[in-house]
Amino acid sequence: MKPMDEKMLHELVSAVVKRISFEDVVKDGGFSPAFEKVDDAVEISVKAQRKWQFEYSLDKKKLIIDSLKADLLPQVEEFSSLALKDTGMGNLKDKIMKNRLAIEKTPGPEFIRTSCTTGDEGLVLEEHAPFGVIASITPSTNPTASVINNTICMLSAGNSVVFAPHPGAAESSIDMVQRVHDSLISHGAPEGIITVLSRISMKNVGALMSHPAVRLVSATGGPGVVNAALSSGKPAVGAGPGNPPVVVDETAHVEQAGKDIVAGCSFDNNLPCTSEKALIVVNCVADQLKRKMLEEGAFELKDPAKIEALKEAALNEKRTDPNKKFVGKDAVWILEKIGIKAPGNVRLILVECELDDPIIQVEMLMPVLGMVRVPDFDAALEAAIKTEHGFRHSALIHSTNVDHMSVMAKVMETTMFTKNGPSFSTLGFGGECPTAFTIATTTGQGPTTPLSFCRLRRCNLHGSFRIV
Ligand code: NAD
């Protein structure tokens, strides 16, 4: 063998280094979808969207989105753990269920339907077209499931998306965008079809929403972000806060109601905006309901001094908002903070109180449930209306009286209404519903699907094309 001279050695080292860097790049997806500058994220998003809309057939889009779902499922424990570690809110078992649900039951391109009408004057075709680049602002309470759910819906409609995640969930949100992007690219989607802002500030979010190339703003969060989206001058999907009351009347299957309420209210430590947040029960079944709830893992806080300590700790000074440090924490942790050592199986803290108590009226986003007794269904309905604050978000009833169910569904005017089930059944768990983690309460698109991120376009062929 010929001895290796310095030139040959140099060439060999360069070739190895080149191969290692290439492999690293390929392993990492070859491209980072995280951008510090708004302009950079939007610029690549515009290019990717044009390609996605015009160069990818419907079949190809569906194949890529189905492949994304298949790629994400085996990673679900990993990114659910990261979301928990990053935010310190919720619990792993329920986060896994939520993310799995987002992957399996978010509707895809099959949801887009075309309508066609023919008559003496010709043929009219109406199709759901993409907006273009969407700015999506996501909450801390649902970081990874929101990225998955929004990506599937928005891309199925032919859009691209730039995510602006909550600063309190930045690491898990950016990681989620990277995973989703890597999968999409590996199946042939254009680079930059989803991007994410890596430097998150109100200024940056504002700049993103008002960027001239952004065609639609989707905001999921509290009233601040929804109002900001509505003031952006762009079409908006505004998914705002709620305070879902659950009514139990004298005709309810009380045992089932108790089981469902504990399960729904404690799910992911009450983080979902749709979860039961106030219990209103007709007096004659209240004791039976409470007994069942205690069997199911509720802990009743009765001592007035401890109830006061709970409000002191878990609410802000004015008692108008929750204390962020308590949001999404589990019931045992919360009880410990007020000096109560509870058994590990406690899932929910139940507090009997008056209707105007902040535990009832504030969206607590933690497993603390206020319970109000009322004499009859009419009083329950009045209390539920007061508790929902006109958000038109979610409400629930346990009843076998068809009139009660119908009246409440009509009068509450909520986007989501659940009869005789836990709140999460209306998100798709064990229910018939497709899944939405952006529930457009304020702007009225409702539980979002690909259709919520489309604009309707009409094409008229005047005078011909009927075949009979
Ligand atoms: P949040 O309002 O604190 O934050 C949401 C996002 O908006 C974050 O990315 C934040 O950085 C940004 N933001 C907040 N104010 C803004 C402003 N003025 N301008 C620009 N950006 C702004 O919400 P959160 O605490 O993460 O989430 C909890 C809230 O979100 C609850 O009220 C819950 O009910 C609601 N929520 C609603 C839905 C729904 O589908 N309707 C889903 C999840 C959460």
Side-chain angles (χ1 to χ4, degrees), residues 2 89 112 147 166 203 221 231 261 326 341 367 389 423 453:
K2 209 171 127 194
M89 300 193 292
I112 308 280
V147 168
H166 195 287
K203 194 168 156 242
S231 321
I261 294 167
F326 278 65
K341 180 123 190 64
H389 305 302
S423 50
F453 305 102

Side-chain angles (χ1 to χ4, degrees), residues 64-335:
I64 291 173
I65 288 166
D66 287 347
S67 308
L68 166 70
K69 295 181 177 188
D71 285 351
L72 291 181
L73 271 179
Q75 304 175 41
V76 76
E77 261 190 71
E78 212 176 295
F79 57 74
S80 302
S81 305
L82 182 57
L84 180 61
K85 192 168 142 250
D86 188 19
T87 62
M89 300 193 292
N91 65 68
L92 185 60
K93 180 173 101 356
D94 296 340
K95 285 216 183 305
I96 291 173
M97 276 175 73
K98 240 170 30 172
N99 285 312
R100 191 178 280 278
L101 185 75
I103 298 166
E104 289 177 337
K105 287 187 84 175
T106 299
E110 69 285 349
F111 223 76
I112 308 280
R113 303 243 160 72
T114 295
S115 95
C116 180
T117 313
T118 66
D120 292 339
E121 301 299 336
L123 176 149
V124 181
L125 179 65
E126 286 186 327
E127 286 187 348
H128 290 92
F131 274 89
V133 176
I134 298 179
S136 173
I137 298 120
T138 52
S140 58
T141 47
N142 244 347
T144 47
S146 298
V147 168
I148 298 167
N149 178 250
N150 278 186
T151 299
I152 295 174
C153 285
M154 292 169 183
L155 265 59
S156 294
N159 303 286
S160 61
V161 47
V162 181
F163 284 101
H166 195 287
E171 191 190 341
S172 52
S173 306
I174 293 171
D175 172 83
M176 195 69 237
V177 171
Q178 179 79 57
R179 287 169 194 264
V180 172
H181 185 270
D182 285 354
S183 162
L184 293 166
I185 300 310
S186 74
H187 298 291
E191 270 183 1
I193 188 70
I194 69 167
T195 53
V196 59
L197 300 185
S198 58
R199 190 185 303 158
I200 300 139
S201 64
M202 287 300 182
K203 194 168 156 242
N204 260 358
V205 178
L208 176 66
M209 290 196 288
S210 58
H211 195 291
V214 166
R215 307 300 291 269
L216 176 75
V217 175
S218 171
T220 310
V225 65
V226 171
N227 288 337
L230 290 176
S231 321
S232 68
K234 303 281 169 66
V237 171
N243 195 39
V246 51
V247 164
V248 182
D249 79 4
E250 66 285 4
T251 71
H253 293 301
V254 178
E255 302 287 301
Q256 189 60 43
K259 199 171 165 196
D260 287 348
I261 294 167
V262 173
C265 182
S266 63
F267 183 72
D268 206 19
N269 296 344
N270 200 251
L271 287 177
C273 52
T274 46
S275 292
E276 294 82 346
K277 301 250 179 328
L279 170 58
I280 298 157
V281 52
V282 172
N283 200 17
C284 62
V285 293
D287 290 334
Q288 189 193 349
L289 180 73
K290 199 155 80 174
R291 231 181 357 259
K292 180 63 184 169
M293 289 177 70
L294 298 182
E295 264 174 47
E296 289 295 317
F299 176 98
E300 189 184 4
L301 197 59
K302 286 186 186 159
D303 176 354
K306 290 292 181 194
I307 295 174
E308 191 47 36
L310 174 71
K311 290 190 231 182
E312 184 80 24
L315 290 156
N316 66 352
E317 216 173 307
K318 288 186 179 164
R319 303 199 171 174
T320 50
D321 283 297
N323 172 357
K324 291 247 188 256
K325 288 189 185 134
F326 278 65
V327 167
K329 291 292 189 288
D330 64 55
V332 173
W333 183 95
I334 295 171
L335 286 168

Side-chain angles (χ1 to χ4, degrees), residues 217 219 226 230 235-240 391-393 413-416 438-449 451-453:
V217 175
V226 171
L230 290 176
V237 171
F391 289 135
R392 299 189 184 193
H393 195 302
E413 289 194 83
T414 48
T415 309
M416 313 283 258
T438 291
I439 298 155
T441 47
T442 315
T443 48
Q445 293 87 350
T448 50
T449 70
L451 291 175
S452 317
F453 305 102

